[in-house]
């Protein structure tokens, strides 16, 4: 019989696949894509422009991984030229609150972290 703890995995076990998921959802491009898609479906160009300074190849790889993981869906419309729209799945939508919380924390603590980094750099130089 498998217990709930066994189903969830053990983050502190180096071989636990949960670490791969954490790596994926902790990636800055994933975070930014999820936050942009939280407002609704977007085309590739809108995602690229919204994220800023992301290479198309990197964004494409990120979107493919998110689609493979079941966090976003990709819909192709038979038009000329073809139109592709990305949308969060219900599982992807469940990431909005946690990612927003971490993003809010980062923005709130940016001045303190910058000050700590400056202090550290001055004291270790």
């Amino acid at each position: 019989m498998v217990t709930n703890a066994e189903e969830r995995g053990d983050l502190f076990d180096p071989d636990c696949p949960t670490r791969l998921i954490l790596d994926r959802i902790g990636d800055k491009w994933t975070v930014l894509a999820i936050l942009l898609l939280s407002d609704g479906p977007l085309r590739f160009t809108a995602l690229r422009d919204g994220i800023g300074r992301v290479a198309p190849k990197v964004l494409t790889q990120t979107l493919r991984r998110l689609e493979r993981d079941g966090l976003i869906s990709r819909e192709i419309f038979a038009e000329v030229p073809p139109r592709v729209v990305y949308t969060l799945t219900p599982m992807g939508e469940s990431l909005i609150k946690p990612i927003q919380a971490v993003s809010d924390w980062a923005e709130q603590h940016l001045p303190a972290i910058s000050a700590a980094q400056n202090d550290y750099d001055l004291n270790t130089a």
Side-chain angles (χ1 to χ4, degrees), residues 61-115:
Q61 291 170 340
T62 299
L63 294 172
R64 284 183 183 159
R65 285 191 299 260
L66 292 173
E67 184 180 10
R68 181 174 182 257
D69 292 344
L71 300 174
I72 66 170
S73 63
R74 179 176 176 259
E75 187 174 3
I76 303 169
F77 295 89
E79 300 173 356
V80 180
R83 181 170 51 106
V84 179
V85 175
Y86 296 91
T87 307
L88 289 175
T89 63
M91 187 167 45
E93 289 176 356
S94 73
L95 266 177
I96 295 170
K97 279 187 178 183
I99 286 177
Q100 189 63 59
V102 171
S103 299
D104 291 345
W105 183 92
E107 289 176 349
Q108 178 184 356
H109 291 88
L110 177 61
I113 291 171
S114 293

Side-chain angles (χ1 to χ4, degrees), residues 15-77:
D15 296 322
C16 182
T18 306
R19 287 186 175 201
L20 297 173
I21 296 168
L22 284 177
D23 185 46
R24 171 92 71 249
I25 62 174
D27 174 71
K28 68 179 173 183
W29 306 122
T30 294
V31 168
L32 296 171
I34 296 290
L35 289 176
L36 284 172
L37 288 169
S38 69
D39 289 332
L42 292 171
R43 295 180 69 174
F44 182 89
T45 304
L47 281 164
R48 188 188 65 213
D49 293 347
I51 291 173
R53 295 189 182 173
V54 58
K57 179 181 178 182
V58 171
L59 181 56
T60 297
Q61 291 170 340
T62 299
L63 294 172
R64 284 183 183 159
R65 285 191 299 260
L66 292 173
E67 184 180 10
R68 181 174 182 257
D69 292 344
L71 300 174
I72 66 170
S73 63
R74 179 176 176 259
E75 187 174 3
I76 303 169
F77 295 89

